[in-house]
Amino acid sequence: MKALRNYLDKIKPQFKEGGKFEKLHSTFDAIETFLYVPDKTTSSGSHIRDSIDLKRTMTVVIMALIPSLLFGIWNTGYQHFLSLGQDAGFMEMVGYGLIKVLPIVVVSYASGLAVEFIFAQYRGHEVNEGYLVSGMLIPLVMPVDIPLWMVAVASIFAVILGKEAFGGTGMNVFNPALLARAFIFFAYPAQITGDTIWTGGLTKGEGVVDGFSGATPLARAAAGAIDKLPSIQDLFFGFIPGSIGETSKLAILIGAAILILTGIGSWRIMVSGLLGGVVMTLIFNAFSANAYMTIDPLTQVLMGSFLFGMVFMATDPVTAAQTNRGKWIYGFLAGFFAIMVRVFNPAYPEGTMLAILLMNTFAPLIDHFVIESNIKRRLKRAASLMKS
């Protein structure tokens, strides 16, 4: 590592102003700060000292996503061999999962970071580490049989219209990874809905055993087949078809624990989102107008991407509410609307995506009213003290 450090120090002057590769300064800076902690110090304005910076924040989030990624790789192989009716060993399942999942991860990072580098060079600013998390989230919310070119197009769309159009990392209104999924959902609905896309190789339908449909729990619920829903155990551990990183709730909860213990993710949003989903489900249970409304709260929150969305998407520190009371309101409504959308409109079985994007829109407004409320309450308290 010392040799690499010395080499970077040797070529660094060529990327500074007046150097041979001056125009590639942002690219060099991105690679250097990815490999080593930068030695930059604040020279003006306010000085905020903390042990964590943006790079470390992104690193912790990626570590929290690793359990979901690893289980998704294994489950991809498990579902594939299950569809073929073949008994396979652990390594065979992992090997097949790696072949299917790794290209999606590589394409997501390559296409998204390429756009980030181009914008950084054009605008002359640093390449921020924000896409390190988005580049991992995008593959985890995709079906395993998604064409790679669609992943590339969706990633480019998310970076350009989700981030750069608003000024880059920290300025975006919507979660970029959710925008990528929404883009594919509305532009190429056949590749992200249906029963065959969630299991590797099932799209071609070759060698599939009779009786294996590949339907997700949400698809079964939307069809009214409540009696065919997986068991609570399978829903919790994730032995079901679904998006790559969203099936195992155990892996998601491990990630949630990492985010909460490190202070990166907001526990208020996670808890309130869960409460919102439970309350909406109980309201549906009270009416029980159709079979979907009779599903119990535990099954509802374990189906689909509800928990994944509340833990990794709704807690995005840029697009979520910033005030403590605002986080409770924002999270509760995100969970509330997620269950409402999936039950009311079977055309959108995954309501979590739309619910969080909707709440991203209203997050600044929620914070505004919370702050205004605090100001009025303190003014009222000050006025009463003056009178006394």
Side-chain angles (χ1 to χ4, degrees):
M1 293 301 290
K2 188 175 181 180
L4 179 60
R5 179 68 265 176
N6 291 336
Y7 177 73
L8 290 175
D9 291 338
K10 181 180 178 182
I11 65 174
K12 192 172 184 177
Q14 299 182 38
F15 293 89
K16 291 185 176 180
E17 186 175 357
K20 186 177 181 181
F21 304 112
E22 174 187 358
K23 294 184 177 179
L24 295 177
H25 170 72
S26 297
T27 303
F28 178 84
D29 182 71
I31 296 173
E32 184 186 26
T33 55
F34 179 76
L35 295 172
Y36 297 96
V37 176
D39 57 356
K40 297 174 182 175
T41 57
T42 306
S43 58
S44 62
S46 59
H47 290 61
I48 301 176
R49 299 181 184 278
D50 201 314
S51 61
I52 195 165
D53 55 13
L54 181 60
K55 184 165 67 175
R56 290 182 177 83
T57 300
M58 297 298 113
T59 302
V60 171
V61 178
I62 291 176
M63 288 173 59
L65 288 167
I66 293 299
S68 296
L69 174 65
L70 294 179
F71 183 86
I73 290 172
W74 175 85
N75 193 47
T76 296
Y78 171 73
Q79 294 296 329
H80 170 70
F81 288 108
L82 186 66
S83 70
L84 299 178
Q86 298 177 3
D87 291 327
F90 176 78
M91 292 309 298
E92 286 181 281
M93 296 179 189
V94 171
Y96 181 84
L98 285 172
I99 293 173
K100 296 291 290 187
V101 174
L102 279 187
I104 300 176
V105 176
V106 171
V107 168
S108 171
Y109 274 117
S111 55
L113 284 176
V115 178
E116 289 263 8
F117 276 60
I118 291 172
F119 270 90
Q121 291 294 155
Y122 178 74
R123 292 177 170 173
H125 62 65
E126 297 176 352
V127 177
N128 292 312
E129 293 86 351
Y131 192 76
L132 294 178
V133 170
S134 299
M136 180 63 75
L137 283 172
I138 290 174
L140 295 182
V141 299
M142 293 292 166
V144 69
D145 259 0
I146 187 80
L148 293 179
W149 67 268
M150 285 189 190
V151 178
V153 172
S155 300
I156 293 171
F157 175 86
V159 174
I160 294 177
L161 295 184
K163 292 178 62 179
E164 298 301 336
F166 293 97
T169 299
M171 306 296 289
N172 48 299
V173 177
F174 302 104
N175 184 297
L178 278 179
L179 276 185
R181 175 161 175 143
F183 173 79
I184 293 182
F185 185 84
F186 290 106
Y188 309 101
Q191 274 68 39
I192 204 166
T193 57
D195 295 342
T196 61
I197 57 167
W198 311 103
T199 303
L202 195 61
T203 306
K204 297 179 180 177
E206 297 175 353
V208 179
V209 296
D210 293 338
F212 187 91
S213 68
T216 63
L218 286 177
R220 294 180 188 276
I226 309 301
D227 57 323
K228 295 182 180 178
L229 289 178
S231 65
I232 293 296
Q233 182 180 356
D234 284 348
L235 286 173
F236 180 75
F237 288 106
F239 307 133
I240 53 176
S243 297
I244 294 170
E246 298 176 349
T247 57
S248 175
K249 308 314 179 285
L250 174 61
I252 294 169
L253 290 177
I254 292 173
I258 294 173
L259 294 180
I260 293 173
L261 291 175
T262 54
I264 300 298
S266 170
W267 64 269
R268 293 179 178 86
I269 293 177
M270 296 182 199
V271 173
S272 58
L274 191 61
L275 286 174
V278 170
V279 169
M280 187 70 255
T281 306
L282 290 175
I283 293 174
F284 281 136
N285 289 167
F287 288 95
S288 297
N290 55 43
Y292 210 153
M293 291 187 180
T294 64
I295 297 176
D296 62 272
L298 180 59
T299 303
Q300 277 283 16
V301 299
L302 291 179
M303 289 197 303
S305 65
F306 184 86
L307 278 184
F308 188 90
M310 294 304 137
V311 171
F312 296 113
M313 301 291 200
T315 55
D316 181 354
V318 176
T319 58
Q322 304 298 311
T323 58
N324 286 341
R325 191 186 301 175
K327 289 176 181 177
W328 282 104
I329 299 170
Y330 165 89
F332 182 87
L333 292 177
F336 191 86
F337 288 134
I339 301 298
M340 177 187 288
V341 171
R342 73 163 55 158
V343 173
F344 273 162
N345 195 338
Y348 301 109
E350 194 42 87
T352 306
M353 171 186 72
L354 297 177
I356 295 176
L357 287 175
L358 177 67
M359 293 315 301
N360 285 166
T361 307
F362 288 101
L365 186 63
I366 293 172
D367 281 334
H368 171 75
F369 282 116
V370 169
I371 293 171
E372 286 294 315
S373 173
N374 288 339
I375 292 173
K376 289 180 180 177
R377 189 171 61 252
R378 291 180 182 183
L379 287 175
K380 189 176 180 181
R381 189 189 307 158
S384 63
L385 290 174
M386 291 287 288
K387 290 179 181 178
S388 62

